[in-house]
Every structure is written in C-alpha cells, then in structure tokens.
Amino acid sequence: MVTNESVVILSYANTPEKLDILKECILSSTNQGYKVILSSSYQVPDEIQLLCDYTIFDKENPVITGSDLEKIGGAIFFWLSFPHFENQHSVDMNHSYAVLKLMKNAATIAKINGISKLHYLNYDYIIQDRNLLPNQSESLDNNDLFYYYYTENENYMNTGIFSIKTQQMLDSFSHINSKSDYCEQGYPILEEYMLKRFKERQLKIDKDLLVNIKQNNKIDLIATSDFLTQKKIEGKEFNLYLYLSKEQNTNKLYLIAISDIDTNMSVKFIDKTYNIKITGSPIIIELDQSLVDTGFDVEVLEFNVREKFNNQKKLSSCTIHDYVVVKHFDNFRYDESNNLTVVEQIVQDTPKDFYNLSLKNQTDKVYYHGYHHFYPQYFEKFRYQKFNMLEIGYGDGASMKTWIEYFPQADITVLDINVQHIESDRCRVIKGDQSKLSDLDRIIDSITQAKLILDDGSHNPMHQFDTFNYLFKNLLEPGGVYIIEDIEVSY
C-alpha cells in the first residue's frame, strides 16, 4: 500500500455505463496500491463506495448558468476558425466551480487523515501505466504541482489528471467557497484559472505533454458538450458539429455542418429532402428566415443524430470573410417524396441499432421522445439473450415491430385495452386493462417472470403507480428493468 498519498477520483457518473467506467477507474488505482478518495456529485451504489477508502457525496452540484455567467464577464465560447469563415458557439453551462468544490472536499478529507500528496483523476481516466503515478509522486518530492498540458497551449493545465501537495491545494482555493466567489475571479475556464492561481502563489511546478501518456492509458472516455456529437471508431474520437448560426453584420442565417469523418446529412423539409455529404471542411448553407420559421429536420445517421432546426434552436454566431464558401440548397440534390418514403429510403442498409430500427418502424420513441439517447445503455447488455418482455400499450404496433427486431430471441407480450392478436410465435398482444388486477394476474400467469417491463399504456398516473407496485413485486425478475414512459404528461 502506497502511504501518505491518495488518488482522488472526481465522479459525475449517473448512468450504468458511466458507473462501469467509474468502477474500472477505482480498481485501476486500488490495484496499484493507492488509497482512493471518491468525491462525487451523484450518489453511487454501495458496492462502488465499498471499493474506496473514503467517499464524499456532495449533492449540491453548483453548476454556473445564466446570470452567473454574466458575473464572470461573458460565456464560454467554442470557436471554429477557417480562412474564409469563423463560428463561435456559447456553452450553456459551466461546471468549473462544481468541479473545484469536489476537489476541495477531497483535499479536506485528505488533510484530516494525514495524506500529504493527492493524484486527481476524472473518473473516465483509466491509469494502466503502473509507472505513471509513481513518477508524478516523485516529482512532488521537489515540486508542489505536477500537471499535463495540451500541445496547443501550456497555459491550460489538464484538470482531468494532475498531482499536488494537499496543503497547497487547500491554501490555493481557501477563498473560493461559493459560486459567487468563483465568478468574481473572472475566469470561466477552470483549467486556466487554476494554473493562474498556482502561478500567482509561486508554486514550484513540473509539467509534461498530455499526448505523451495517451498511448498507455485510457483518457477522456466520456465526452460531454452541448455543441457536438461524438462517436468512437477503434478507440479514436470523431466529432460532428451542427449549428444554426447568424452572421452579426448582415443578420443572415446559416446551417453549418462539419464532420471529422466523411458522412451524409439529410435535411428534410415538408416537400423535399436534401442529401448532403459533409466532411472536415464546413458546409455553410444560407437560410431564408421563412425556412427557420417553418422548421426543418436534420439527420446524420452515422452519429445517431436527428435534430429540429427552427426558431427555438440556439443560435451561434459566425463571420464570413469570403462568401465564395456559402452555398444554397439549390446546389444539392433533393428527393420529392413524403416523409415515410424518405425515412425508409434513408435507413435501408443502416445498422440495426435501436435508433435505426425505431426510424424504420416509425415509432415515436425516437421521433418525439428521444429514448434512443439512453435505452441502449440499459438494453444492450441483454439484447441477444432469451428472456420475457412485457410492454403495456400497443398503439399502432410500431414499437412492437421494433422490439421484434431489436430483441431477436425475446418472448414479447403486449397488454392493450383495445387489441388482441398473435404477431408471431414469440410475440402476442393480449387484450386487458392495466388498472384491473385480474388482467395483470392473467399476464403474470402467462409469462411468470419478465426481464423488461415497459409501461406505455394509459398514462394515467394512478394506473402507472398501481401497475408498477404490483408488477415490480410479482413479475419483474431480479436485476430486470422497469420503465414508465411519457411521465411528462403526468401533471
């Protein structure tokens, strides 16, 4: 066991996928002999807490938004810059103080327990190089701080991994005890502010390039932002940027699309669908205000993106230096077809994931509700197993068609107040009322146990409540998943 020092893991894990990564991060540290202080803004399961030496849960999670950003002196911007064109997008939320508070919480616990050196890690950093932390600790024998910097700018320390003496961490930020305190510093970017503060206090600092440790460790496994969509191919990250942007000088509106990999974008209006190839060079399409007033849909299936662009869409700001880069929809091929035909045309030969199967079968689970953003996190682990599933509510049958393809070995039962029929040898619709225990008992007698129960039935809150209480106890198998959809209508 490494003495007198500890790994501090900063956690924002709030999904099963993220909790799995958190667990791997903890084990990668404890297996190297380090004590672990877990400082989290979300409650974590007992089994994960027990892996740590100390656990701090701070449910305040003081995110800086709106008027708070004004105190800093403006928002955080993400810039894209090209010879003929620039675009800036303001980030809606700033987690800087929330993260700093987690750091201070951990340092306080460390001091109480006599820990003099701290190795800070974001939970999505998995340290596999067993020499890494010892090297950082050795640096702290002669220095106060060790950090990694980005190739572009060494004045931004990477706060995802750094090492510091406990007392120096506490002394550096003892004056920051609220969002207001933080905002008064005038630095919205945490990485910039922390390093500035350390230099002001004349800490002895050692540093290295972040790229030097990427090959032997897992870094930034979870990417979060409100201005891009990310996917990974063989461990490498690729970004998609989609903006509705206004040019400040002319007030003209533009649709802007950029992708790190060549892919296709579908832009759907009421009567036309444009199919546009996007690459690493920006596609800049001028928009009439009437198009934005009416609204249009943008799909990039490779990134599982479907967004509505209209007057409710957040605007970014652009500057166009040479209008030769501007295009119009007349420059692109389009299809004249109804929406149903267009969707079927787009999704043919696409992967059979939940999103694409839902598009194919026209279920509103992706169109209006966006369930594809989190259903796979719960379903993929047992997708190809043989199990029983119950859905309450048949509707037009679109979701059942999706489940048949998505769960190829599942035995699927649907309870509906108006419909009864047999879909196939493993899929059936039973007529019944979810508010009647006798009808729920018929389902229980029929399938005995279900791994997945999904309530998309009456949407009556009392029905949902009573059904959950009864089926969770009498039908759901241990470790199963129970979902109640559309609770936004439960006023």
Side-chain angles (χ1 to χ4, degrees), residues 213-441:
I213 66 171
K214 281 192 170 183
Q215 184 174 355
N216 297 321
N217 302 281
K218 299 178 183 178
I219 292 178
D220 284 330
L221 296 182
I222 299 293
T224 57
S225 71
D226 66 345
F227 54 84
L228 62 86
T229 302
Q230 192 173 80
K231 71 176 296 182
K232 295 188 178 183
I233 302 176
E234 296 180 351
K236 295 183 179 180
E237 300 170 351
F238 299 94
N239 298 318
L240 168 72
Y241 307 84
L242 288 175
Y243 300 101
L244 181 61
S245 192
K246 176 185 281 189
E247 188 179 19
Q248 296 305 301
N249 295 330
T250 64
N251 286 330
K252 289 183 178 180
L253 294 171
Y254 298 90
L255 172 64
I256 299 169
I258 311 170
S259 174
D260 289 343
I261 54 175
D262 291 354
T263 188
N264 292 306
M265 172 176 68
S266 173
V267 181
K268 298 182 179 182
F269 296 97
I270 295 174
D271 57 343
K272 294 179 181 178
T273 296
Y274 293 88
N275 298 298
I276 301 169
K277 183 177 181 180
I278 52 178
T279 65
S281 299
I283 296 291
I284 306 169
I285 306 172
E286 185 174 338
L287 302 170
D288 293 330
Q289 181 64 54
S290 60
L291 296 178
V292 181
D293 292 340
T294 304
F296 55 92
D297 293 320
V298 176
E299 289 185 347
V300 184
L301 292 179
E302 187 164 9
F303 284 84
N304 281 341
V305 167
R306 185 179 191 274
E307 292 191 27
K308 172 71 76 173
F309 281 67
N310 55 24
N311 288 323
Q312 304 302 311
K313 181 75 172 175
K314 179 179 176 179
L315 285 174
S316 60
S317 174
C318 67
T319 301
I320 300 174
H321 303 298
D322 188 341
Y323 285 86
V324 70
V325 298
V326 175
K327 297 187 180 297
H328 300 82
F329 280 113
D330 291 342
N331 299 124
F332 303 101
R333 180 178 63 84
Y334 67 86
D335 301 324
E336 289 182 323
S337 54
N338 61 48
N339 286 336
L340 177 61
T341 304
V342 168
V343 169
E344 289 177 345
Q345 178 183 352
I346 290 174
V347 302
Q348 64 183 358
D349 299 326
T350 56
K352 293 185 177 181
D353 56 23
F354 178 75
Y355 178 76
N356 286 301
L357 290 175
S358 296
L359 286 180
K360 172 186 173 183
N361 292 300
Q362 298 285 289
T363 171
D364 64 0
K365 293 187 190 301
V366 298
Y367 283 134
Y368 302 114
H369 300 301
Y371 294 150
H372 58 287
H373 291 297
F374 51 91
Y375 273 6
Q377 298 174 13
Y378 297 94
F379 297 164
E380 282 291 333
K381 58 187 176 184
F382 58 79
R383 178 179 176 183
Y384 296 102
Q385 296 177 12
K386 187 173 180 62
F387 64 92
N388 293 329
M389 170 186 175
L390 170 66
E391 180 166 26
I392 301 171
Y394 179 74
D396 60 2
S399 65
M400 186 178 194
K401 293 176 183 177
T402 301
W403 301 131
I404 289 172
E405 293 188 79
Y406 185 73
F407 295 124
Q409 298 193 71
D411 191 90
I412 302 168
T413 299
V414 177
L415 177 69
D416 191 271
I417 198 168
N418 297 312
V419 181
Q420 179 161 331
H421 75 269
I422 301 297
E423 186 88 16
S424 71
D425 59 346
R426 63 183 183 90
C427 304
R428 69 205 58 79
V429 184
I430 297 175
K431 188 173 183 179
D433 185 342
Q434 75 176 109
S435 67
K436 295 180 179 179
L437 290 183
S438 59
D439 288 343
L440 296 182
D441 281 333

Side-chain angles (χ1 to χ4, degrees), residues 415-483:
L415 177 69
D416 191 271
I417 198 168
N418 297 312
V419 181
Q420 179 161 331
H421 75 269
I422 301 297
E423 186 88 16
S424 71
D425 59 346
R426 63 183 183 90
C427 304
R428 69 205 58 79
V429 184
I430 297 175
K431 188 173 183 179
D433 185 342
Q434 75 176 109
S435 67
K436 295 180 179 179
L437 290 183
S438 59
D439 288 343
L440 296 182
D441 281 333
R442 285 197 295 120
I443 296 294
I444 293 171
D445 291 341
S446 173
I447 64 178
T448 308
Q449 197 173 55
K451 183 184 287 288
L452 171 60
I453 301 175
L454 198 152
D455 186 346
D456 188 20
S458 70
H459 300 91
N460 181 307
M462 287 308 300
H463 294 172
Q464 293 171 331
F465 184 78
D466 292 341
T467 302
F468 169 79
N469 281 336
Y470 198 68
L471 294 184
F472 189 89
K473 177 181 178 181
N474 296 296
L475 185 63
L476 189 68
E477 68 177 60
V481 177
Y482 193 113
I483 290 175

Side-chain angles (χ1 to χ4, degrees), residues 124-226:
D124 59 343
Y125 279 55
I126 313 299
I127 303 305
Q128 297 173 315
D129 179 358
R130 300 183 73 90
N131 293 318
L132 186 70
L133 296 180
N135 288 342
Q136 293 177 197
S137 178
E138 184 177 344
S139 175
L140 290 188
D141 290 339
N142 300 305
N143 297 285
D144 300 309
L145 168 71
F146 180 94
Y147 77 92
Y148 292 93
Y149 65 94
Y150 305 96
T151 306
E152 298 84 0
N153 192 343
E154 65 179 67
N155 291 319
Y156 287 86
M157 65 176 287
N158 176 13
T159 57
I161 173 173
F162 68 98
S163 296
I164 190 170
K165 290 178 178 175
T166 302
Q167 193 61 51
Q168 294 289 11
M169 184 68 193
L170 290 170
D171 292 345
S172 296
F173 303 105
S174 60
H175 63 302
I176 306 293
N177 296 300
S178 68
K179 283 201 297 185
S180 178
D181 290 343
Y182 183 86
C183 292
E184 287 174 1
Q185 308 308 308
Y187 283 84
I189 301 175
L190 180 63
E191 289 85 347
E192 182 181 10
Y193 170 62
M194 288 184 67
L195 188 55
K196 174 181 177 294
R197 179 64 180 160
F198 293 141
K199 288 181 176 179
E200 285 176 347
R201 298 189 63 247
Q202 298 183 339
L203 267 61
K204 295 180 180 179
I205 299 174
D206 190 12
K207 60 183 183 292
D208 191 9
L209 270 168
L210 183 66
V211 69
N212 291 342
I213 66 171
K214 281 192 170 183
Q215 184 174 355
N216 297 321
N217 302 281
K218 299 178 183 178
I219 292 178
D220 284 330
L221 296 182
I222 299 293
T224 57
S225 71
D226 66 345

